[in-house]
């Protein structure tokens, strides 16, 4: 089932050039769904993702190598070159290496061929499975996003609680469509707020809750501003004040356990994969505006 995001949500103020990657592999259904959804919103998207599932590889880097076996889901044959692309859609590309190496290739090499310059924005995922709290340190989806942010490209890492690795040529799951359209909605809000799309060296960690009978469409979900890690007294810096007099933003974990249909949005510092300062959180809060809600 395809949801009509153009009817549900406003488009971005202008189309931008987006480099897309993940750690589940270039042939996984979620990255193909977000490619289609962002494209339907008139953005120019180029995928540069691992040839194989590289989940849990964090920020590792390695020179790409020739394929000694077929790509995941037999999406390219054994012996294929270290980097390649889909013959019928050259914007869909693979790199036989880790997620960070893959997005690096997209930023430096494959993306500029289509963008005539550097990408404006990087999106990674939607990851198959949540990336909440300490998992950000080992997630390749997060590693790719933080690499982009450290190289002056605003970045958003998307993850979803529902699903399992699914081939690009299998019937596309409903959750893939829901997550892709939610990701496009948030991306459009960031772009519509104007440049700089995010503060320097900043990335967003976005986790979508499970898709279910109650949470079946993008319109069912609400976004909540959160923090990645549990605050440590006398150690953690302050959070931006929102949702009344709460001194702390809720954690991603708290939102994931809440009753309802929610997506958490955390503001991270790219160099540490920890929470950004209250000042930086505040910039993002203003950009996302009425997209955000509070937990009951």
């Amino acid at each position: 089932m395809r949801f009509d995001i153009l009817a549900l949500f406003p488009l971005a103020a202008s189309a931008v050039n987006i480099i897309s990657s993940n750690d589940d592999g270039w042939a996984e259904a979620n990255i193909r769904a977000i490619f289609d959804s962002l494209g339907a919103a008139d953005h120019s998207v180029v995928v540069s993702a691992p040839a194989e599932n590289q989940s849990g590889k964090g920020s590792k880097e390695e020179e790409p190598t020739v394929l000694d076996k077929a790509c995941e889901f037999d999406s390219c044959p054994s012996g294929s070159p270290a980097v390649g692309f889909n013959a019928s859609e050259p914007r869909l590309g693979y790199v036989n290496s880790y997620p960070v190496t893959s997005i690096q290739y997209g930023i430096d090499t494959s993306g500029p061929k289509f963008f005539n310059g550097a990408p404006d924005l990087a999106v990674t995922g939607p990851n198959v499975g949540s990336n909440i709290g300490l998992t950000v340190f080992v997630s390749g989806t997060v590693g790719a996003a933080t690499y982009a942010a450290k190289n002056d490209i605003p970045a958003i890492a998307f993850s979803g609680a529902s699903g399992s690795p699914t081939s690009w040529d299998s019937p596309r799951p409903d959750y893939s469509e829901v997550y892709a359209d939610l990701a496009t909605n948030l991306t459009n809000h960031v772009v519509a707020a104007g440049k700089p799309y995010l503060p320097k060296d900043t990335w967003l960690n976005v986790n979508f809750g499970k898709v279910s009978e109650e949470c079946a469409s993008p319109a069912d979900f609400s976004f909540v501003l959160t923090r990645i890690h549990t605050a440590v007294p006398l150690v953690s810096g302050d959070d931006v004040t929102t949702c009344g007099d709460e001194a702390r933003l809720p954690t991603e974990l708290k939102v994931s356990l809440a009753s309802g249909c929610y997506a958490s949005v955390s503001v991270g510092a790219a160099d540490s994969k920890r929470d950004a300062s209250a000042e930086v959180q505040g910039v993002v809060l203003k950009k996302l505006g009425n997209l955000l809600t509070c937990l009951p």
Side-chain angles (χ1 to χ4, degrees):
M1 177 168 51
R2 177 75 221 177
F3 299 97
D4 186 0
I5 190 171
L6 304 185
L8 285 170
F9 303 121
L11 291 179
S14 60
V16 298
N17 297 321
I18 298 175
I19 195 72
S20 171
S21 194
N22 68 357
D23 68 8
D24 295 309
W26 80 306
E28 208 285 321
N30 281 0
I31 198 169
R32 299 300 178 94
I34 196 173
F35 175 81
D36 291 343
S37 183
L38 289 169
D42 291 333
H43 298 297
S44 176
V45 187
V46 172
V47 169
S48 184
E52 294 285 345
N53 188 324
Q54 296 285 355
S55 296
K57 299 303 192 297
S59 292
K60 290 183 178 180
E61 298 181 55
E62 187 174 73
E63 188 70 20
T65 57
V66 172
L67 274 295
D68 59 6
K69 60 180 180 178
C71 291
E72 68 173 347
F73 307 123
D74 293 323
S75 53
C76 69
S78 177
S80 293
V83 297
F85 55 88
N86 183 292
S88 60
E89 177 46 89
R91 288 173 176 264
L92 297 173
Y94 73 80
V95 178
N96 190 32
S97 186
Y98 297 127
V100 166
T101 307
S102 300
I103 201 167
Q104 179 183 21
Y105 182 83
I107 291 168
D108 295 340
T109 305
S110 61
K113 293 178 181 177
F114 296 94
F115 303 149
N116 195 29
D120 300 305
L121 190 70
V123 301
T124 61
N127 190 73
V128 179
S130 301
N131 279 311
I132 289 175
L134 294 176
T135 60
V136 301
F137 293 123
V138 298
S139 165
T141 294
V142 170
T146 54
Y147 174 86
K150 287 187 288 187
N151 285 273
D152 298 324
I153 299 171
I156 310 173
F158 294 106
S159 302
S162 289
S164 58
T166 302
S167 172
W168 64 277
D169 59 353
S170 297
R172 187 174 288 173
D174 287 347
Y175 66 80
S176 291
E177 305 285 16
V178 172
Y179 292 156
D181 289 352
L182 285 168
T184 298
N185 181 27
L186 187 139
T187 299
N188 284 349
H189 274 78
V190 169
V191 171
K195 291 184 176 181
Y197 298 128
L198 292 173
K200 185 177 176 61
D201 298 325
T202 298
W203 61 290
L204 301 184
N205 194 44
V206 181
N207 280 277
F208 304 123
K210 290 184 177 180
V211 173
S212 64
E213 289 185 4
E214 294 76 23
C215 309
S217 76
D220 295 328
F221 283 81
S222 299
F223 291 90
V224 178
L225 190 65
T226 53
R227 55 180 295 116
I228 303 169
H229 305 288
T230 300
V232 179
L234 305 180
V235 175
S236 302
D238 294 336
D239 288 338
V240 67
T241 301
T242 185
C243 293
D245 297 327
E246 293 291 334
R248 285 290 180 195
L249 295 173
T251 62
E252 296 169 338
L253 179 61
K254 180 177 181 179
V255 171
S256 73
L257 297 174
S259 176
C261 310
Y262 294 108
S264 60
V265 183
S266 295
V267 188
D271 59 345
S272 65
K273 301 181 183 178
R274 297 185 182 278
D275 291 282
S277 68
E279 179 181 2
V280 173
Q281 291 172 343
V283 172
V284 174
L285 176 63
K286 289 181 180 179
K287 280 185 169 290
L288 295 183
N290 60 8
L291 180 67
L292 297 171
T293 190
C294 299
L295 289 178

